[in-house]
Amino acid sequence: MARKARIHYPGALYHIMVRENNGDNVLFEEAQKNKYLNIITTYKQKLGFMLYAYCIMDNHAHLLVEVSEIPLSRIMQGIQQVYTQWYNRKNNRTGHVFQQRYKALLCDKENYLFELVRYIHNNPVKAQLEDGINYKWSSHIYYIGKGKGEVIDLDKILGMFSNNINKAIEQYLSLMQIEDVDIKYEDDKVSA
């Protein structure tokens, strides 16, 4: 029986989950997490989707993606295929690295965007990891100004809170139920 085609339209928001196959530790090491994130970044630049949140755990990963003209299936096929080839070459093996096809839930941007960001960023807290909310392999660090780079599209999310970056971060921290964080940006505007 053929798989159902995923719903695609420009602006569609997806909560994507990928899980390792057969208990293999395919995202366990820092080098593996770094490679996966680099591949996502490359495909983001190449195919033009928005990435609002991510969390790469030891045995699974979450992504919050808004697509444009390129369908999610093409984006994820590229990311998963390139990572699988890299992982198999590195470990002198063949076959699937991830369990089944990735899962992607089409989400209502108006009602669930903030909840999904919170859910994804709280994965390390739920797993009781030592770093908790400040887990290195989560996009939360970008939201509070501790991560550098262009992998995350912060401006849209923070801009929904406020045009003032410090107020936007305060409201984001309130959403995350985090208190007593003193974060100040030099530029007080959210980029457009």
Side-chain angles (χ1 to χ4, degrees):
M1 183 175 198
R3 290 181 182 157
K4 286 173 105 176
R6 299 214 190 266
I7 297 171
H8 173 77
Y9 59 90
L13 180 72
Y14 295 95
H15 176 197
I16 302 158
M17 296 151 279
V18 298
R19 185 166 296 282
E20 67 186 18
N21 195 31
N22 294 325
D24 296 337
N25 290 324
V26 300
L27 294 168
F28 187 75
E29 299 171 5
E30 291 229 352
Q32 295 167 339
K33 289 178 177 77
N34 193 49
K35 182 65 175 181
Y36 194 69
L37 188 57
N38 286 339
I39 293 168
I40 291 168
T41 303
T42 298
Y43 271 83
K44 184 177 175 290
Q45 293 166 349
K46 186 176 173 180
L47 300 179
F49 60 90
M50 304 288 273
L51 180 63
Y52 297 130
Y54 72 84
C55 186
I56 304 171
M57 302 292 280
D58 289 349
N59 64 352
H60 71 284
H62 294 267
L63 308 172
L64 185 56
V65 169
E66 181 180 322
V67 297
S68 58
E69 299 301 321
I70 306 295
L72 181 65
S73 59
R74 182 164 163 215
I75 293 165
M76 290 307 295
Q77 179 185 20
I79 291 168
Q80 299 298 84
Q81 187 174 50
V82 169
Y83 185 82
T84 296
Q85 290 169 346
W86 173 83
Y87 182 86
N88 282 344
R89 263 193 317 273
K90 185 175 183 278
N91 294 288
N92 197 29
R93 68 183 292 279
T94 60
H96 295 284
V97 169
F98 294 102
Q99 191 180 83
Q100 303 167 353
R101 180 165 75 156
Y102 62 93
K103 291 182 182 175
L105 303 174
L106 182 63
C107 302
D108 179 352
K109 221 182 306 183
E110 300 300 316
N111 296 313
Y112 294 109
L113 181 60
F114 292 139
E115 288 303 313
L116 288 168
V117 170
R118 179 173 30 194
Y119 175 81
I120 290 169
H121 288 170
N122 271 317
N123 253 247
V125 175
K126 185 178 175 186
Q128 299 179 337
L129 297 181
E130 183 178 329
D131 294 337
I133 193 67
N134 294 313
Y135 180 63
K136 179 180 178 179
W137 299 103
S138 162
S139 53
H140 169 76
I141 62 173
Y142 293 90
Y143 279 81
I144 60 171
K146 292 185 179 178
K148 302 286 185 216
E150 297 180 14
V151 67
I152 290 297
D153 296 292
L154 293 174
D155 295 342
K156 184 170 184 174
I157 305 292
L158 291 178
M160 293 170 88
F161 288 119
S162 173
N163 287 333
N164 178 289
I165 190 72
N166 293 312
K167 287 181 182 174
I169 292 170
E170 283 176 21
Q171 290 182 21
Y172 164 76
L173 291 171
S174 178
L175 170 77
M176 297 301 296
Q177 299 175 337
I178 299 171
E179 298 175 6
D180 298 327
V181 176
D182 186 29
I183 308 262
K184 297 291 180 200
Y185 278 75
E186 308 227 348
D187 182 9
D188 64 351
K189 300 274 191 240
V190 174
S191 300

